[in-house]
């Protein structure tokens, strides 16, 4: 590529950054109004986020047009200086091929460092090329072999056709992105979020939620969406959806599994119903010196109306309450209306049984100037305003409220679930919460009528790990069921996790979901996938692992050490450590400052170098095969396995360490 071509691209890129600077200055110089200031700050943050790699591509079309592609759209009048990568005109940048050029003559990848153009990479697709050299996949290979920085890189510059198809998929239901390690499924899901926000502007008002497996994972992906020009997406773990609960207890695996089963929903619903106790006898209520009784039949009727309303428990309680108050108010009104007044206005005992006015009463009223119509029936002493005040007085009465609370109490979700292992038979413990309890509290919150924030679109990453109860929790955040679900069933590491997508999604959307597969591994070297794939193949007949596109050049190795030598051996090597539960704490103490994770904590992450420690211990867990597969496929360059006391048969084919 000639220096002249780089100079020309530099001129254009310099002009783009000048435009961004002008937009930033305009935003900073805006009104001091509080609302406007917040909008300006968001715009300044957006412009800062797209600073790196602002322009990364160019399309030379067969009709002579030239289109620069980047992280945002920039215009001067009607002229597009830079086209947003999500715009329809940019699609051929990701999908055009030599066989199907889609009107593209040349596709150019532009590499920048800061604001400087440092390299150009051309592919000739259509006829009429001008002699430039065809470089092919160089841009992609440069991206997948780049050193990792501790943050997930965006792949907007190197999206492949199968990834782009998923990103631009117009499915308005549930789209499942299924793919093995290194296929870019998380990156695809995040780029899909950016595309949907661009394509469907109403989502900006309704909000988008990304649910990830851990806080470490959310920090890892944290810069992807801002780098794509989107900084308003909410991210959370499943547990984080209930920030009011502090998780400070770990359930045994069998308890966590039991709490995650779908049957727990029915148990919780029954627990809420059982809090309503209908009296089997008349209950006396004292109100302003009068004793009023509610019969069992009246209690039954009031409770029945509350339940028949279909409202959540605490809202249904209001219906029940209203019915009981109406009964008592009726008793009081009957007593008042049954009183007959003499000519002096004093109450007399007895009187007409039906409350009708006597002839003497009528003569007295006429003499007093009160006009009485032809209807000589009973006259109500209390109008509707009076009755309303009477009902309010009853509702404010402490004695009555105590009686009502005894029949139909107002509930809190935490009270019903209890904490401290209450749903595992350990109800005597001091109140505390486990991760599995969070979904139970949220379930009860829905039953009793607690509010929650909902979103227009929800992404669930590592979705195969969610229990049935956690799926119910997530689905409540997305009433429209417009979702992107990301996962790999071969990596399921939770005893409550999924074995099929139909199994977990069917109860919510039936068959109204699509599965889009990613089959190419862009991250994990062939050498690593061979040994990791052997672990799966030893236990799962016919399993197919993603096809790797690159050779790493470094052969994975294993070494056998005694338990007392583990810390010393691990300390000899750089890289992240993924270990069994049994040695994680020891390694954290012995190697302060090192990244030490369990296989569950490492899900979705990637590192240049990985040491897998105690594979036998990892395999000994209830989801051990998946956990070891996950642990080994976190490596992008180098993989070492430190076996403690024994080499598992699945790894006997690995090269022994010789250094």
């Amino acid at each position: 590529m000639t220096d002249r071509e780089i100079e020309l691209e530099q001129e254009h890129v310099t002009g783009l950054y000048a435009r961004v600077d002008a937009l930033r200055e305009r935003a900073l110089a805006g009104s001091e109004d509080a609302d406007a200031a917040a909008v300006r700050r968001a715009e300044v943050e957006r412009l800062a986020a797209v600073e790196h790699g602002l322009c990364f591509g160019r399309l030379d079309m067969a009709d002579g047009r030239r289109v620069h592609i980047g992280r945002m759209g920039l215009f001067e009048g009607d002229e597009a200086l830079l086209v947003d990568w999500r715009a329809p005109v940019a699609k051929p940048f990701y999908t055009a091929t030599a066989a199907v050029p889609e009107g593209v003559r040349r596709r150019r990848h532009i590499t920048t460092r800061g604001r400087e153009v440092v390299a150009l990479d051309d592919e000739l697709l259509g006829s009429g090329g001008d002699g430039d050299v065809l470089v092919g996949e160089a841009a992609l290979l440069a991206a997948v072999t780049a050193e990792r920085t501790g943050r997930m890189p965006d792949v907007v510059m190197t999206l492949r056709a199968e990834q782009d198809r998923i990103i631009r998929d117009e499915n308005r239901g549930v789209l499942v992105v299924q793919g093995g390690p290194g296929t870019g499924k998380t990156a695809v899901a995040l780029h899909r979020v950016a595309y949907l926000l661009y394509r469907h502007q109403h989502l900006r008002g309704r909000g988008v939620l990304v649910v990830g497996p851990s806080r470490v994972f959310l920090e890892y992906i944290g810069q992807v969406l801002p780098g794509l020009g989107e900084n308003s997406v909410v991210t959370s773990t499943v547990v984080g959806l209930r920030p009011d609960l502090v998780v400070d207890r770990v359930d045994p695996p069998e308890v966590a599994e039991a709490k995650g089963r779908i049957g727990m929903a029915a148990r919780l619903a029954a627990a809420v119903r059982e809090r309503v106790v209908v009296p089997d006898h008349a209950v006396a209520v004292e109100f302003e010196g009068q004793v009023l009784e509610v019969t069992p039949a009246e209690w039954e009727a009031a409770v029945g109306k509350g339940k028949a309303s279909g409202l959540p428990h605490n809202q249904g309680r209001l219906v029940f309450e209203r019915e009981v108050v109406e009964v008592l108010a009726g008793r009081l009104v009957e007593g008042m209306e049954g009183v007959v007044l003499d000519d002096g206005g004093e109450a007399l005992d007895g009187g007409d049984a039906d409350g009708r006015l006597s002839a003497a009463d009528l003569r007295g009223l006429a003499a007093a100037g009160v006009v009485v119509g032809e209807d000589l029936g009973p006259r109500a002493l209390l109008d509707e305003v009076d009755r309303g005040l009477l009902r309010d007085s009853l509702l404010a009465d402490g004695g009555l409220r105590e009686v009502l609370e005894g029949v139909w109490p107002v509930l809190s979700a935490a009270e019903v679930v209890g904490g401290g292992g209450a749903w595992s038979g350990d109800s005597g413990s001091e109140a505390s919460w486990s991760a599995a309890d969070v979904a139970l509290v949220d379930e009860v919150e829905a039953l009793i009528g607690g509010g929650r924030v909902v979103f227009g679109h929800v992404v669930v990453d590592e979705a195969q790990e969610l229990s049935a109860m956690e799926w119910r929790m997530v689905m409540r955040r997305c009433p429209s069921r417009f979702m992107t679900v990301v996962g790999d069933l071969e990596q399921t590491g939770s005893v409550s996790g999924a074995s099929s997508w139909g199994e977990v999604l069917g109860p919510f959307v039936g068959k109204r979901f699509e599965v889009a597969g990613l089959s190419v591994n862009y991250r994990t070297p062939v050498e690593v996938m061979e040994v990791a794939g052997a672990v799966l193949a030893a236990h799962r007949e016919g399993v197919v692992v993603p096809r790797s596109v690159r050779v790493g050049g470094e052969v994975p190795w294993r070494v056998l050490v005694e338990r007392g030598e583990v810390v010393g051996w691990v300390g000899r090597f750089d890289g992240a450590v993924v270990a069994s539960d049994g040695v994680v704490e020891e390694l954290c103490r012995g190697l302060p400052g090192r990244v030490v994770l369990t296989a569950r904590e490492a899900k979705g992450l990637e590192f240049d170098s990985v040491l897998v420690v105690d594979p036998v211990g990892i395999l000994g867990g209830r989801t051990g095969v998946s956990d070891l597969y996950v642990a080994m496929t976190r490596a992008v360059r180098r993989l070492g396995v430190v076996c403690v006391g024994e080499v598992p048969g699945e790894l006997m084919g690995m090269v022994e360490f010789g250094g």
Side-chain angles (χ1 to χ4, degrees):
M1 190 61 59
T2 66
D3 291 341
R4 179 56 183 161
E5 285 293 314
I6 290 182
E7 289 174 5
L8 291 172
E9 291 296 356
Q10 183 66 65
E11 289 178 9
H12 189 77
V13 168
T14 299
L16 295 176
Y17 279 109
R19 184 65 177 159
V20 169
D21 289 340
L23 292 173
R24 184 182 293 112
E25 290 175 7
R26 183 184 304 171
L28 291 171
S31 161
E32 291 303 319
D33 174 77
D35 292 337
V39 173
R40 292 197 334 267
R41 283 195 299 272
E43 177 65 4
V44 170
E45 290 174 2
R46 186 178 77 92
L47 293 171
V50 300
E51 173 82 16
H52 174 68
L54 174 64
C55 174
F56 54 77
R58 192 182 90 188
L59 293 176
D60 293 355
M61 309 303 290
D63 61 7
R65 287 179 298 136
R66 181 172 289 177
V67 181
H68 279 85
I69 312 296
R71 297 177 181 275
M72 65 180 295
L74 290 172
F75 299 86
E76 189 169 295
D78 294 332
E79 180 187 2
L81 304 177
L82 185 67
V83 172
D84 193 301
W85 67 274
R86 297 166 287 188
V89 71
K91 183 178 179 182
F93 186 77
Y94 304 107
T95 58
T97 64
V100 185
E102 301 183 40
V104 177
R105 183 176 61 81
R106 175 170 59 181
R107 172 168 50 209
R108 169 170 287 179
H109 293 268
I110 302 171
T111 303
T112 57
R113 185 180 299 118
R115 296 188 171 194
E116 179 186 1
V117 177
V118 295
L120 303 178
D121 208 5
D122 279 1
E123 297 173 76
L124 302 180
L125 303 180
S127 60
D130 55 9
D132 290 312
V133 177
L134 177 62
V135 180
E137 297 290 308
L140 171 63
L141 293 178
V144 299
T145 58
E147 293 283 346
R148 267 38 186 181
T149 64
R151 295 289 182 91
M152 172 178 278
D154 67 54
V155 294
V156 67
M157 294 179 284
T158 56
L159 287 171
R160 312 319 292 162
E162 71 168 356
Q163 297 172 323
D164 186 77
R165 280 194 294 272
I166 294 172
I167 289 168
R168 298 175 191 268
D169 193 304
E170 289 295 336
N171 185 325
R172 295 301 302 274
V174 177
L175 179 65
V176 179
V177 184
Q178 161 76 37
T183 54
K185 54 187 179 294
T186 296
V188 165
L190 295 176
H191 286 66
R192 175 167 165 77
V193 168
Y195 173 78
L196 291 174
L197 285 167
Y198 175 86
R199 179 74 174 81
H200 304 288
Q201 293 293 314
H202 69 278
L203 286 180
R204 297 186 183 280
R206 297 182 182 179
V208 174
L209 169 68
V210 175
V211 179
S214 67
R215 293 306 313 178
V216 174
F217 174 84
L218 295 178
E219 291 171 4
Y220 176 64
I221 67 171
Q223 295 304 308
V224 174
L225 284 166
L228 298 172
E230 301 296 343
N231 54 7
S232 60
V233 174
V234 176
T235 64
S236 176
T237 62
V238 173
V239 169
L241 294 175
R242 293 303 306 249
D244 55 316
L245 301 179
V246 176
V247 173
D248 54 6
R249 182 171 48 79
V250 178
D251 285 328
E254 63 277 7
V255 173
E257 180 182 14
K259 289 181 178 179
R261 291 175 185 158
I262 191 63
M264 188 59 69
R267 289 184 59 191
L268 291 169
V272 171
R273 288 195 302 270
E274 289 167 3
R275 295 301 181 99
V276 179
V277 181
V278 181
D280 58 3
H281 58 279
V283 177
V285 178
E286 184 175 344
F287 176 72
E288 295 184 356
Q290 300 183 62
V291 177
L292 308 171
E293 278 196 346
V294 183
T295 68
E298 289 168 333
W299 284 120
E300 187 75 43
V303 168
K305 287 193 175 181
K307 292 182 176 180
S309 69
L311 295 170
H313 175 91
N314 287 345
Q315 281 74 33
R317 147 74 185 247
L318 299 176
V319 176
F320 154 78
E321 190 176 74
R322 183 186 65 206
E323 293 298 318
V324 175
V325 166
E326 198 63 42
V327 168
L328 295 176
R331 294 263 199 283
L332 291 170
V333 170
E334 287 173 6
M336 295 178 184
E337 296 289 1
V339 174
V340 179
L341 305 179
D342 65 12
D343 290 343
E346 296 295 328
L348 297 175
D349 291 334
D352 292 340
D354 62 2
R356 297 175 69 86
L357 298 175
S358 65
D361 294 328
L362 294 174
R363 286 194 299 274
L365 290 171
V370 177
V371 177
V372 180
E374 295 181 358
D375 181 8
L376 302 182
R379 294 293 189 271
L381 298 179
L382 302 177
D383 60 19
E384 190 52 41
V385 173
D386 296 325
R387 290 171 181 256
L389 293 173
L390 182 59
R391 296 187 195 100
D392 292 343
S393 297
L394 283 165
L395 281 173
D397 185 78
L400 175 57
R401 297 204 66 81
E402 185 176 345
V403 172
L404 294 174
E405 185 70 15
V407 178
W408 191 313
V410 174
L411 298 179
S412 72
E415 173 191 359
V416 175
V417 178
W423 287 85
S424 56
D426 186 19
S427 56
S429 301
E430 184 179 350
S432 62
W433 304 107
S434 70
D437 288 330
V438 173
L440 307 191
V441 173
D442 199 72
E443 183 75 22
V444 175
E445 196 75 34
L447 293 169
I448 66 176
R452 60 181 49 80
V453 178
V454 297
F455 298 86
H457 189 79
V458 172
V459 176
V460 186
D461 207 335
E462 299 295 343
Q464 74 277 356
E465 303 301 323
L466 272 62
S467 70
M469 292 301 293
E470 288 172 333
W471 273 111
R472 290 174 65 86
M473 181 178 178
V474 170
M475 288 291 179
R476 281 191 284 271
R477 269 73 184 175
C478 192
S480 67
R481 301 296 191 262
F482 185 20
M483 304 176 73
T484 302
V485 172
V486 185
D488 179 13
L489 297 176
E490 298 296 346
Q491 296 185 62
T492 301
S494 167
V495 293
S496 302
S499 57
S500 80
W501 296 119
E503 171 189 290
V504 297
L505 297 174
F508 306 102
V509 297
K511 297 181 179 180
R512 298 185 301 279
F513 67 91
E514 295 181 11
V515 178
L518 293 170
S519 58
V520 179
N521 185 333
Y522 298 100
R523 181 191 73 203
T524 316
V526 169
E527 297 87 346
V528 172
M529 283 308 298
E530 284 180 351
V531 295
V535 171
L536 280 184
H539 295 269
R540 298 174 185 170
E541 185 177 353
V543 68
V544 178
V545 299
R547 175 177 59 85
S548 295
V549 298
R550 68 187 184 93
V551 176
E554 300 191 33
V555 178
W557 52 264
R558 63 170 170 82
V559 66
L560 178 62
V561 303
E562 297 302 320
R563 177 60 184 265
E565 303 173 319
V566 171
V567 173
W569 260 92
V570 173
R572 293 176 58 181
F573 302 94
D574 294 329
V577 178
V578 184
S580 68
D581 293 348
V583 299
V584 161
E585 186 176 345
E586 178 184 350
L587 290 169
C588 288
R589 287 197 310 268
L591 300 169
R594 284 288 290 275
V595 175
V596 180
L597 306 166
T598 66
R600 293 183 298 280
E601 293 168 335
K603 280 187 181 296
L605 307 180
E606 59 183 44
F607 306 93
D608 285 330
S609 299
V610 172
L611 283 178
V612 176
V613 181
D614 190 21
V616 169
I618 295 174
L619 283 168
R622 297 181 69 181
T623 56
V625 175
S626 294
D627 289 345
L628 185 55
Y629 179 60
V630 167
M632 296 175 73
T633 54
R634 299 307 94 196
V636 174
R637 293 176 180 273
R638 294 171 290 276
L639 172 66
V641 180
V642 179
C643 303
V644 182
E646 178 185 355
V647 178
E650 296 89 340
L651 303 183
M652 291 301 293
M654 289 185 70
V655 172
E656 292 188 59
F657 178 75

